[in-house]
Amino acid sequence: MNKIVVFCLMFGSLAFSSLASQDNFSFDDPAERALFLRLTNELRCPMCQNQNIADSDAMIAHDMRRKVYSLLKQGKSEQEVIDYMKARYGDFVYYNPPVTFATVWLWLLPVLFAVGAGLVIIRRRKPALPEDMAVKLEKANKMLEQDK
């Protein structure tokens, strides 16, 4: 009997803890809900760095989801929400960073590296033997055959 009571208490505590950690966002318009889901998938969690705020369990991600929800409820557009988040957390928070003078090297550096590596490979190829060297080698081979 005691085992059943302990099992029920453990199961109940797990069920209530999972309900307590979920955010409940209600939308009247399905398009607004789709926009919310898209925005929470496009915004990066500043704490987790490789997760979006939809997947992150960090407290700041919860706060950011609530802020996105409240901004959408205020009638803000997608770009206004993104601009708000960028202004508050920087360009890092958005998965599609703008191409600026500071970020252009992220796209150019791999191309420059590939071109540089190609140039190094081409320059390091073995050069063909000059004609006089080929003649000298043939002469040396003949001398070696005569010594046998």
Side-chain angles (χ1 to χ4, degrees), residues 73-89:
K73 284 297 181 183
Q74 292 171 8
K76 303 285 184 186
S77 69
E78 179 179 3
Q79 191 58 46
E80 288 172 330
V81 173
I82 291 170
D83 290 343
Y84 176 85
M85 291 296 180
K86 281 182 177 179
R88 186 162 184 160
Y89 300 103

Side-chain angles (χ1 to χ4, degrees), residues 90-144:
D91 287 336
F92 171 80
V93 77
Y94 190 53
Y95 273 116
N96 296 322
V99 178
T100 64
F101 182 73
T103 61
V104 73
W105 62 272
L106 293 171
W107 286 269
L108 290 180
L109 196 58
V111 173
L112 292 175
F113 178 76
V115 169
L119 289 174
V120 167
I121 289 171
I122 289 171
R123 290 185 141 211
R124 294 194 62 139
R125 289 177 45 192
K126 267 191 165 174
L129 292 176
E131 277 190 39
D132 61 339
M133 183 63 96
V135 171
K136 287 180 184 177
L137 283 174
E138 190 174 319
K139 192 175 182 181
N141 284 337
K142 282 182 183 175
M143 290 173 70
L144 287 173

Side-chain angles (χ1 to χ4, degrees), residues 46-85:
M47 179 74 80
C48 303
Q49 297 194 4
N50 288 328
Q51 285 185 317
N52 55 31
I53 63 172
D55 295 335
S56 176
D57 283 334
M59 285 304 296
I60 193 164
H62 287 273
D63 293 341
M64 291 173 75
R65 282 193 298 263
R66 273 184 250 140
K67 190 62 181 176
V68 169
Y69 178 74
S70 71
L71 289 173
L72 290 177
K73 284 297 181 183
Q74 292 171 8
K76 303 285 184 186
S77 69
E78 179 179 3
Q79 191 58 46
E80 288 172 330
V81 173
I82 291 170
D83 290 343
Y84 176 85
M85 291 296 180

Side-chain angles (χ1 to χ4, degrees), residues 4-36:
I4 294 173
V5 171
V6 170
F7 176 76
C8 288
L9 287 174
M10 289 177 58
F11 181 75
S13 66
L14 286 175
F16 285 117
S17 66
S18 67
L19 287 176
S21 66
Q22 288 182 343
D23 294 325
N24 292 323
F25 301 109
S26 62
F27 295 95
D28 298 330
D29 185 15
E32 191 176 10
R33 179 172 180 72
L35 177 60
F36 173 79

